[in-house]
Amino acid sequence: MLRLIICEIWKLKRRKLFQAAFLTTFIMPLCYTIILSDTNLDNMMSVVREENGFLILMPLSVVLAANLFFEEHDYDTLKNLMCIPVSKNRLALAKFAVILLFDVGYMFAGYGIAFLLTALTGTSLNGWGLQFFLTIGTGVLLFAAAMPCIFLVVWCNKSYIISVIIAFAYTVFNYILRINDSFMMVPLGFNVATFLPVPVIFRWIYQFHSLEGAGEIARNFYHRFSPYFVSTPAVFGILLGEGLIFMVLMMKVYRKQSV
């Protein structure tokens, strides 16, 4: 399995587009530092998790998955892999591992540049350990959150253009839901709001936002929203459970696709 993962990574390294895309993790923190003067560690890490993660990394993950799952069909090399033999299940698991490594690596790089920029401004770095956990944890959760969209892309088995459209629509849809009280201010339970990936992640992240220097409006919103916060075990249980289900479904679809 390790050799398969390494092989998938080497294939990815040949794609200059994804190497360039990885560098986008530095854009938002740099812009935030240049434009605003009141930067602090909490705000910088919020930019990395929310703007970088939800707006950039999620669609990147879907496009990356499309590339990994379609590449053998495009170059007609899947038959050779089946003759080695390499099972489609193991091949799919290797691709999932690469997507996870990409997501975590992307968030780790964002954390690194945000930490460095905050240090250069002379701002306090208190709470860096918690911020590291939240940022890397968000990378893992975004990997799981992208699974339903990746499943749809693999199931459709269409062109890269269709994959990009699906990824964009999924990202916008989920990001809009995070400002809708009908999906955010709902208790955990067997309801639609509980199983929507992005709103649940936001309900977990918001509780760690610092109220230091926050205005009255922000404080009132925080206290109004606090009854609907999601605990760390709950958010990881929900998202990883959903991700596992869609991974199993994807493996079934992938096995049935013609070689």
Side-chain angles (χ1 to χ4, degrees), residues 113-173:
I113 188 64
F115 183 92
L116 178 61
L117 290 172
T118 304
L120 290 175
T121 60
T123 307
S124 172
L125 298 175
N126 289 336
W128 65 269
L130 174 62
Q131 297 298 334
F132 178 80
F133 167 74
L134 294 175
T135 304
I136 300 302
T138 301
V140 175
L141 293 175
L142 285 174
F143 162 77
M147 285 299 119
C149 188
I150 295 174
F151 166 73
L152 184 60
V153 167
V154 173
W155 180 67
C156 292
N157 197 22
K158 299 297 183 181
S159 66
Y160 291 109
I161 300 298
I162 298 299
S163 302
V164 172
I165 294 173
I166 292 174
F168 178 77
Y170 183 76
T171 300
V172 172
F173 173 74

Side-chain angles (χ1 to χ4, degrees), residues 49-94:
R49 289 190 294 267
E50 297 173 20
E51 277 70 24
N52 274 15
F54 292 95
L55 291 179
I56 302 177
L57 178 58
M58 184 172 289
L60 270 181
S61 299
V62 178
V63 175
L64 169 61
N67 181 273
L68 291 173
F69 278 95
F70 295 165
E71 189 174 42
E72 284 88 5
H73 289 285
D74 293 343
Y75 294 101
D76 199 24
T77 58
L78 189 56
K79 293 179 181 178
N80 297 333
L81 291 172
M82 298 298 101
C83 293
I84 293 178
V86 175
S87 70
K88 278 192 169 183
N89 281 348
R90 294 183 65 195
L91 193 58
L93 287 173

Side-chain angles (χ1 to χ4, degrees), residues 93 96 143 147 242-251:
L93 287 173
F96 292 143
F143 162 77
M147 285 299 119
E242 288 183 358
L244 181 60
I245 291 171
F246 281 100
M247 287 170 65
V248 171
L249 292 174
M250 266 186 284
M251 290 166 68

Side-chain angles (χ1 to χ4, degrees), residues 180-196:
N180 190 315
D181 288 357
S182 300
F183 294 98
M184 294 294 288
M185 296 189 179
V186 179
L188 284 182
F190 289 98
N191 52 61
V192 175
T194 297
F195 299 103
L196 288 171

